[in-house]
Amino acid sequence: MRKAIVMDNKDNVATLLTDVGEGDVIHDIPGKAGGVEIRQKIPFGHKIAIRKIGRGEAVVKYGEVFGKASEEIAEGQHVHVHNVESVRGRGGKG
């Protein structure tokens, strides 16, 4: 069963297709032969970082920037409102 989906090669996040728990490994990530280890319990439909995202770096899904990391986000960490600042409605991408 697939646990996550990456929508575009530019994406640095994946969307979960099931609930996951700390220590689970997601193997559905292109370019990540060993998979991505999950760092905490995360519910279905939420996003995970598929690589480290630096503070202030663009967060990309569907090949489009939808926010900036408000703090460093580790690979396998939950990506949500607690660590992403929206850039929508601010006059541009980035």
Side-chain angles (χ1 to χ4, degrees):
M1 177 177 135
R2 267 190 110 152
K3 291 186 178 182
I5 188 166
V6 176
M7 304 304 292
D8 189 280
N9 289 334
K10 296 177 213 154
D11 292 357
N12 54 13
V13 299
T15 302
L16 293 172
L17 301 175
T18 186
D19 294 343
V20 295
E22 182 178 351
D24 286 352
V25 177
I26 306 295
H27 294 284
D28 306 320
I29 309 301
K32 294 285 185 175
V36 172
E37 185 174 346
I38 301 301
R39 296 180 172 258
Q40 71 261 64
K41 184 177 178 182
I42 307 170
F44 161 82
H46 285 241
K47 295 173 291 302
I48 60 163
I50 59 174
R51 63 168 181 78
K52 183 178 107 182
I53 304 171
R55 184 172 191 253
E57 187 177 342
V59 181
V60 182
K61 181 179 172 185
Y62 301 115
E64 298 290 329
V65 174
F66 74 87
K68 284 188 178 181
S70 58
E71 60 187 57
E72 185 173 292
I73 305 171
E75 179 177 300
Q77 188 176 344
H78 191 195
V79 177
H80 201 53
V81 297
H82 66 281
N83 56 13
V84 176
E85 176 183 315
S86 177
V87 295
R88 297 195 187 264
R90 293 195 177 185
K93 298 178 189 177

